[in-house]
Amino acid sequence: MPVAAGLYTFTTGVSAFFEMPTSDARRILPEHLEPVEVTHQRSILAVTAFHFTESIAGPYIELMFSVIVPPVPGRWRQRQHPKAGFYPFLAATSSDESRCHRSEGFSIPHIAEDIDAQFVESAGTLHVSVWSRSGPVVDLTVTQHKWESTTHLLHTFMVDGNRRLKSNLQISGRYTVHENERGHMTLHHHPMTTALTLAEISPYPFREHWLKDGVEIFHPLETL
Amino acid sequence: MSDTEHPDTIVKQPAIETRSRLGDVGIDRPAMQYDYTNFYFGTGEDPFALLDPFDAWWSEAEPEGYYQYESPLQSAPSTRVDVLDKKTGEVRAGLINFASYNYLGLSYREEVKEAIKVAVDVYGGGASGSPILSGTTALHQELSEEVARFKLKEGALIFPTGYSANVGTIAGLMRSGDLIVADQWAHASIVDGMILSKATSRFFRHNNVEDLERKLSGFDGKKLVIVEGVYSMDGDLPPLRDIVAVSKKHGARVMIDEAHSAFVFGDNGRGVVEALDLEEDVDIHLGTFSKSLGGQGGYTAGSLKLINYLRGFSRSRCFSCALAPTVAAGVLAALKLAQAEPQLRTRLWDNVRFMKAKLDGAGVPTGVSASQVIPIMVRDDAQIFQIGEEIFRAGVFINPIKYPAVPKHKSRFRMSISAAHTHEDLERGAAIIAGVLKDFGVCP
């Protein structure tokens, strides 16, 4: 049975939030989106990496950089209130097929070259290294807190020319999150990081999410 | 158990039904897994767009636990208080009070109440004017002079609140193109002052002097470093000597907000700066009257040049009504008592040591506090309100603090110790708290 277009089964996923300059965030975001500021003049860079084992494009690895933005207010009583909003401004994957699928199907900008990655888990710590032929992109370490099963509803915003788009994103799986600032990230100079003022991005994630054995569901794009 | 010691409680989950749920965005999450931050931003054209979803959430969240905020006191904020239980509508009488700031127990002292009564007869209710116009009375003048004398500074400026003291001082002094670097846990009034000033704002990692130095490096222009004497959520102190040294090295002025440390730290109560012999090294000294003095208002103390400049440029003071003369009279009386009765500080620190020993002995986790502000670390965001309800019903009034006021999984109760507490109060309070925490598995 073929896998539906918006379904992605993963073994391991990580999403870490870092403070970034609001000036960078505003430069990256389209006009209709505002960055969420964690403190004055400090917005939020989300670095996510997933090891997908099943998707319409086959198994692949994905690295995505997003700016956190406000979600569209939801209907609470229908349990449709999103936890957060993302504007994925640049992604990279480990295969042509996945790159075409994600960039054409969901209007997420991608760099043209393949990436590869290592997900190394040991003693409550996950270390993720991502690289491409241009060199290393990111080394990211997150730590665990308490594991639970969860489903999150998020809003993902994209643009296609003048079209303002949104996709509801459901992520289900085993999940741990904390704000103990125990993780670390090194962002390298790389074609993926040129939009970022690297010296101004905190190397410490103020929130660390780690997911296992779950599913991402990207719902069909809606025009805002 | 520390955050890193959580056992890996992974349980193999049943297969997740994915394909059948495509198109269904229903998420069944309890209201308590959401908080105010989920309703802070909202895309759309209508400013009221968030009111309906917030209202729907609130109607579930309040009865589940959020009702524990703004519970009306029916008595003075002394060591025992009567508090309305908003869930049941009953008044719970004689609760041991660890929620009020009244560190020296001055707000209800007869001398304070008497001074307020006299002021009522002379001045009536409010000041009826801005301090720069008609709102300054002889009492305000005497209070500012007394604060300056007490702080050993040339001058002091009185503000209607501690919040306005920070906002008015920071935005009154710093400008667009300047740099302000503050500790990441700086109070909201410091952050708001930074925003209003339009200066470039940076935050250094809490109490991390190396990060402060990084944030100060490479900037040419006016620089101000802001820290607090005691941080209000953890009760810890800044490494002030090192912070001052790094700031001076980079040509930055230093400002300290001693909201929770003035009148209690130092041999004479002049704050952390006195305790560390740094009174002359810190350039701007802020404090509040609402904590140790049990009143209301704030002050900025420093050189006469600074005070005279801020008198004209502190918009939060210029464009607010002056402190009510009755409040000024009460604060003035409390300030005189705080100076005349050093035994209050002795008793406070004895109480702090006593309570910490009781809590430690019971295995209650109290974090890194080095002051009269003692966090009771629960960490479990989902259970904090339930635990709070049990503690409240068992006879203790203490506020739960959870995200976003503190980071996720750092939920706690914030305990304020007062010189007025008796050892019996403290012993009984510690036993109640420890008993409830034990029932919930927070302590052994």
Side-chain angles (χ1 to χ4, degrees), chain B residues 158-416:
Chain B
I158 307 300
F159 291 77
T161 62
Y163 178 93
S164 64
N166 266 323
V167 167
T169 300
I170 298 165
L173 186 65
M174 303 302 283
R175 303 284 176 265
S176 175
D178 299 344
L179 173 67
I180 305 172
V181 185
D183 188 283
Q184 72 179 111
W185 299 137
H187 188 260
S189 55
I190 293 172
V191 177
D192 289 358
M194 294 163 76
I195 294 170
L196 268 178
S197 76
K198 301 186 180 70
T200 298
S201 300
R202 294 176 182 166
F203 296 89
F204 65 97
R205 285 166 65 76
H206 180 54
N207 282 351
N208 186 323
V209 180
E210 286 176 7
D211 197 40
L212 168 64
E213 178 140 37
R214 274 194 293 274
K215 298 290 161 56
L216 283 169
S217 297
F219 184 90
D220 295 323
K222 300 185 182 76
K223 294 182 275 287
L224 177 66
V225 170
I226 308 176
V227 294
E228 296 187 20
V230 164
Y231 287 91
S232 61
M233 291 299 164
D234 288 293
D236 58 337
L237 276 60
L240 191 59
R241 197 175 304 285
D242 293 338
I243 285 170
V244 166
V246 165
S247 302
K248 299 294 176 197
K249 178 180 159 190
H250 288 271
R253 294 286 181 177
V254 179
M255 171 176 143
I256 188 165
D257 175 357
E258 298 232 41
H260 292 272
S261 50
F263 314 111
V264 292
F265 274 82
D267 289 344
N268 299 287
R270 292 198 299 270
V272 165
V273 287
E274 184 194 8
L276 297 174
D277 194 22
L278 291 166
E279 288 176 284
E280 295 302 314
D281 298 285
V282 171
D283 303 285
I284 307 172
H285 302 256
L286 268 91
T288 64
F289 302 134
S290 55
K291 312 295 191 300
S292 297
L293 300 188
Q296 186 182 325
Y299 67 84
T300 298
S303 69
L304 204 52
K305 285 179 186 172
L306 172 73
I307 297 306
N308 282 337
Y309 185 81
L310 290 175
R311 202 185 299 281
F313 288 97
S314 287
R315 290 166 64 88
S316 65
R317 179 175 177 273
C318 294
F319 298 100
S320 293
C321 186
L323 205 61
T326 48
V327 174
V331 168
L332 188 55
L335 175 54
K336 288 175 179 171
L337 287 169
Q339 293 175 87
E341 299 183 13
Q343 64 271 26
L344 290 174
R345 287 188 291 281
T346 306
R347 199 180 309 152
L348 172 65
W349 294 119
D350 174 63
N351 278 351
V352 170
R353 278 189 297 274
F354 183 85
M355 191 56 162
K356 280 186 174 165
K358 289 290 167 196
L359 294 170
D360 288 347
V364 174
T366 55
V368 294
S369 170
S371 70
Q372 76 286 1
V373 179
I374 304 176
I376 308 289
M377 302 302 295
V378 170
R379 299 182 188 278
D380 189 329
D381 301 339
Q383 281 199 313
I384 183 82
F385 285 124
Q386 204 182 339
I387 297 172
E389 192 169 316
E390 291 298 320
I391 291 175
F392 182 61
R393 302 260 155 83
V396 168
F397 184 49
I398 189 169
N399 293 134
I401 312 279
K402 69 174 286 190
Y403 180 81
V406 292
K408 283 181 186 288
H409 306 307
K410 295 282 179 68
S411 288
R412 69 199 60 185
F413 296 96
R414 183 173 61 173
M415 172 179 280
S416 297

Side-chain angles (χ1 to χ4, degrees), chain A residues 12 20 25 36-37 52 65 101 103 108 124-125 144 151 155 161 180 201 217:
Chain A
T12 305
M20 69 182 294
V36 170
E37 285 194 323
F52 295 116
F65 292 157
H101 161 65
S103 55
I108 298 172
T125 297
Q144 73 174 19
T151 298
H155 283 172
N180 295 327
I201 293 171
I217 304 174

Side-chain angles (χ1 to χ4, degrees), chain A residues 40-41 54 70-71 73-74 76 79 81 83 149-151 170 174 177 179-182 207 215 217 219, chain B residues 3-4 10 13 18 22-24 27 29 33-34 38 41 43 60 195 201 205 403 407-410:
Chain A
H40 179 49
Q41 296 174 351
E54 196 181 6
W76 173 257
R79 301 297 190 203
H81 198 83
K83 289 286 282 182
S149 285
T150 192
T151 298
Q170 256 176 277
R174 290 188 287 131
V177 59
E179 294 193 345
N180 295 327
E181 298 193 357
R182 298 194 198 284
R207 189 177 301 169
V215 171
I217 304 174
H219 291 261
Chain B
D3 287 338
T4 52
I10 297 171
Q13 299 300 312
T18 53
L22 191 55
D24 167 19
I27 306 292
R29 299 174 66 82
Q33 287 194 18
Y34 288 79
N38 295 108
F41 287 102
T43 311
E60 290 182 28
I195 294 170
S201 300
R205 285 166 65 76
Y403 180 81
K408 283 181 186 288
H409 306 307
K410 295 282 179 68

Side-chain angles (χ1 to χ4, degrees), chain A residues 165-181:
Chain A
L165 304 167
K166 185 195 82 161
S167 169
N168 292 323
L169 169 61
Q170 256 176 277
I171 302 182
S172 305
R174 290 188 287 131
Y175 167 81
T176 170
V177 59
H178 68 82
E179 294 193 345
N180 295 327
E181 298 193 357

